[in-house]
């Protein structure tokens, strides 16, 4: 830990001294060690940037995020230092073709109002990426409030957060018969370890779904200070086969309410039907139920009608090319190679040629090769997340394929399509 901190601190001092020469009037420090007395300013900047109530922000985000996950950017003018930027880093994992990839989730990215339009945000993100590379994270994800800013440092669009909205009157109870299931209230001490196991089994079916850390589980159980109602579903043997959490939310004026699901998972058709029937039984106090999930969420196959909408785009950044390509899953029954050349304007360690060898769903990366499939780090991200097809990327000049030794471009495109086949990334958070 001491060695890591010293390496990060050395890098920050060297790089910001160059930036300060350009700005002339001040220098900046990227701080990986944050003190408790700095939390109120962190919360104030979050309130200013995201519209939190100041009183809630002072009590909520900083404490939930924790000092270890908090980063600050300080502006130095003479002997005075002031906080002009914040962000938070959360270690987690993300599923890609049934393999779990270590991932850094990034949130609470703010720049003080008086420090904007000076490339402060871009510099802060660049140094954060330097830290993530030093810590050996293969990839990083975030919901961007300003996509152009994040794209400028190598993040790229890989998917959307999809909201499903269902009118409870549209649940066809006559078509949802199921074998006996017991639904009972969730007990934290008794049930948490089991629902973590179920969540992982559920999540690995979908590209991009997360293995939740404690911070994310806390957000499932408590939303904006409101405790969620949690239930588990037991099968005939008394084993937990699914779960769901929701809050009651007032819609508009009067007595119009919705059930907003904060998380749910089901391992069987009967349990899925039981959850739907539970929602239908709440029609006397709510009109709709809403949840986030994949386009192919099982409910969509059981229900005659529902509404889908997207509210946030999801961006991914490949932080370490070799480890990212080695960690994700690939389609099975494939044995092939790709010769890649990657350009990364922020992390020079990712520049160069790599050979990706894929066999039986597993990838192995070595340095070198001919590098005849050329792309920048953002293009690699959108391929990694199965968002854009290789042919789309070629048509937009995001890919450059230079063939030699009897190979042809069509073969390389077909290999790219096969290797990065799969559903695009979605999140249920």
């Amino acid at each position: 830990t001491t060695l890591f901190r010293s390496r990060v601190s050395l890098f920050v001092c060297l790089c910001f001294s160059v930036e300060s020469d350009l700005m002339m009037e001040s220098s900046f420090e990227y701080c990986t060690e944050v003190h408790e007395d700095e939390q109120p300013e962190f919360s104030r900047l979050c309130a200013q940037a995201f519209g939190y109530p100041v009183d809630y922000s002072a009590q909520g985000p900083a404490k939930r995020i924790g000092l270890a996950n908090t980063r600050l950017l300080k502006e130095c003018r003479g002997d005075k230092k002031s906080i002009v930027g914040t962000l938070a880093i959360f270690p987690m994992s993300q599923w890609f073709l049934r393999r779990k990839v270590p991932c850094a989730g990034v949130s609470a990215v703010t720049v003080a109002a008086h420090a904007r339009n000076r490339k402060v945000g871009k510099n802060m993100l660049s140094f954060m990426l330097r830290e993530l590379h030093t810590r050996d994270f293969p990839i990083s994800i975030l919901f961007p409030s300003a996509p152009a800013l994040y794209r400028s440092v190598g993040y790229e669009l890989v998917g959307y957060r999809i909201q499903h909205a269902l009118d409870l009157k549209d649940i066809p109870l006559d078509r949802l018969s199921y074998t006996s299931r017991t639904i009972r209230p969730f007990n934290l001490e008794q049930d948490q370890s089991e629902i973590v196991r179920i969540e992982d089994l559920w999540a690995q079916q979908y590209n991009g779904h997360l293995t939740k850390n404690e911070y994310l589980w806390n957000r499932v159980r408590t939303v904006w200070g409101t405790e969620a109602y949690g239930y588990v579903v037991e099968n005939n043997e008394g084993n937990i086969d699914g779960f769901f959490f929701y809050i009651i939310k007032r819609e508009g004026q009067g007595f119009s309410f919705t059930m907003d699901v904060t998380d749910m998972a089901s391992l069987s058709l009967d349990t899925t039907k039981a959850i739907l029937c539970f929602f239908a039984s709440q029609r006397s106090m709510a009109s709709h139920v809403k949840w986030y999930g994949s386009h192919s969420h099982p409910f969509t196959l059981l229900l005659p009608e529902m509404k889908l909408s997207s509210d946030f785009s999801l961006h991914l950044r490949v932080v370490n090319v070799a480890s990212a390509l080695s960690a994700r899953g690939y389609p099975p029954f494939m044995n092939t190679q790709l010769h890649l050349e990657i350009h990364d304007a922020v992390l020079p360690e990712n520049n160069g040629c790599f050979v990706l060898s894929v066999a039986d769903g597993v990838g192995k990366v070595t340095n070198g090769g001919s590098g005849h499939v050329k792309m920048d780090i953002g293009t690699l991200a959108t391929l990694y997340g199965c968002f854009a097809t290789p042919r789309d990327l070629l048509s937009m000049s995001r890919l450059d394929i230079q063939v030699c030794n009897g190979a042809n471009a069509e073969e390389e495109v077909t290999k790219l399509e096969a290797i990065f086949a799969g559903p695009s990334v979605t999140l249920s958070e």
Side-chain angles (χ1 to χ4, degrees), residues 165-169 229 246-261 279 282-290:
L166 171 65
D167 190 321
L168 295 180
K169 297 192 297 295
Y229 300 98
Y246 68 91
I247 60 171
I248 301 297
K249 189 174 180 180
R250 185 185 295 272
E251 293 286 330
Q253 302 297 318
F255 293 94
S256 177
F257 299 92
T258 63
M259 303 170 67
D260 282 13
V261 175
F279 291 158
Q282 310 303 307
R283 286 176 292 188
S284 62
M285 46 71 63
S287 61
H288 291 76
V289 60
K290 298 179 180 180

Side-chain angles (χ1 to χ4, degrees), residues 201-215:
L201 291 172
W202 167 271
Q204 64 185 265
Q205 302 174 80
Y206 305 100
N207 263 3
H209 275 214
L210 300 176
T211 294
K212 290 183 173 64
N213 54 26
E214 189 56 33
Y215 172 77

